[in-house]
Structure formats: structure tokens, C-alpha cells
Amino acid sequence: MRNTTLCHIERDGKYLMMHRVKKTVDENKDKWIGIGGKFEEGESPEDCLLREVREETGLTLRSWQYRGIVTFVSDEWGTEYMHLFVSEDFFGEVRSDCDEGQLEWIDKQELLTKPIWEGDRIFLRLLYENAPFFSLKLRYVGDTLAEAVLDGKQLPLKKP
């Protein structure tokens, strides 16, 4: 099991997203994801958030909101507890190069047309609706979302 953070940094109705195209072995290969990564020893969710945002983007967050915990269960990648944050309060310049992928400001609605994980659509909707703090469990078989449970209640899944 691993702990990670993910932050959706917002400016002018857009999120700063990373297109994961640089690593050959990457569970997020070719997907668009927010900014974040794995906890280091002794880090809190906030410590990890601040470090990952600074390392990946060059930005420094002044304030943020802790919005939820997403539990990913995968038959290929194991279990991950992702601490989900949003922020509109930051300073600095976005890096022109990042080891993880390409950074780009994407309109929040356009993001839904990009290659993203199916479960990301669920938590993005919760962010868009400004839902209160939530716990979301997403179980994947391969790249297919097999189960989604929000605050202990099963969600209906779209039929393929």
C-alpha cells in the first residue's frame, strides 16, 4: 500500500495538468492527471503536497483545501491511498520541463474529453460541485473501473 497526494491547481477556470508521456513504465502512461506523487518517509499529506507541487511545477502553494481521500485498488498496481487537494493560491512560474510529463493549463470541462482514468471523472465531478470532504473507493481490473463506492455507498457504473 502506498500514500500519495494529488492536487488540482486552478487558475481562470483551468487546471494545471500533467500529460504522463515521459516514463516507459508508468501506471498513468498517456493519461492526464493532477500534480502529486508518493509520500516520503515521515511526511504528512501536506508535506508531500507542498514538496511534490514545488518539484513537479516550480510553484509554491500559499493555501489549499484538503477535499478527500481516494482509495485505488488495482489488480495490477496494488492499493493506493490518494489524498486529494485543490488550490487557487500559489506563486512562482510553471517549469518548462518536468521529468514526469508535460504540464499544461486545461479548461476544466475540456479535461473530461482528454484521456483520464474513468474514476477521475467521479472525483472531478465532486470537485466541480464543491462536495464536502469525501471518501471514494475505486477498484480497477486492468484499466477498467470495476467498482466505485462514495462514502460507503455503491455508485452505478456506466456500461461499456
Side-chain angles (χ1 to χ4, degrees):
M1 290 183 291
R2 64 201 152 141
N3 277 285
T4 64
T5 57
L6 188 74
C7 187
H8 282 78
I9 301 170
E10 185 175 350
R11 179 185 75 188
D12 301 325
K14 297 179 179 183
Y15 282 141
L16 182 60
M17 300 297 293
M18 183 178 298
H19 192 198
R20 297 289 293 248
V21 293
K22 293 197 175 178
K23 292 181 175 179
T24 53
V25 178
D26 183 351
E27 65 194 277
N28 294 303
K29 184 151 182 56
D30 297 327
K31 301 267 194 293
W32 289 85
I33 63 169
I35 308 305
K38 298 178 186 103
F39 281 39
E40 291 183 355
E41 181 64 33
E43 284 187 323
S44 69
E46 294 79 9
D47 294 336
C48 181
L49 165 74
L50 294 171
R51 178 183 53 76
E52 287 286 348
V53 167
R54 193 172 46 256
E55 286 177 1
E56 291 183 356
T57 70
L59 300 176
T60 300
L61 301 182
R62 286 190 196 104
S63 66
W64 53 89
Q65 296 81 46
Y66 192 176
R67 298 295 308 279
I69 295 177
V70 181
T71 304
F72 291 100
V73 179
S74 166
D75 63 339
E76 294 180 7
W77 300 98
T79 299
E80 172 184 343
Y81 299 101
M82 184 184 76
H83 303 260
L84 183 61
F85 294 86
V86 295
S87 178
E88 297 179 41
D89 188 12
F90 56 89
F91 66 92
E93 297 295 321
V94 175
R95 297 171 60 146
S96 59
D97 188 46
C98 176
D99 295 344
E100 305 284 330
Q102 297 170 336
L103 296 168
E104 189 176 331
W105 291 100
I106 304 289
D107 180 270
K108 289 164 57 172
Q109 294 307 315
E110 181 187 341
L111 177 57
L112 299 174
T113 69
K114 301 276 188 193
I116 62 175
W117 290 101
E118 191 60 36
D120 290 15
R121 295 177 192 287
I122 297 170
F123 68 72
L124 284 168
R125 178 180 49 80
L126 295 168
L127 295 179
Y128 296 168
E129 294 171 355
N130 202 24
F133 190 91
F134 57 86
S135 174
L136 177 64
K137 178 181 177 183
L138 302 170
R139 185 173 58 81
Y140 284 88
V141 175
D143 286 352
T144 303
L145 183 61
E147 179 182 39
V149 180
L150 177 61
D151 295 327
K153 296 182 180 98
Q154 194 85 30
L155 295 177
L157 297 179
K158 288 183 190 176
K159 301 286 186 225

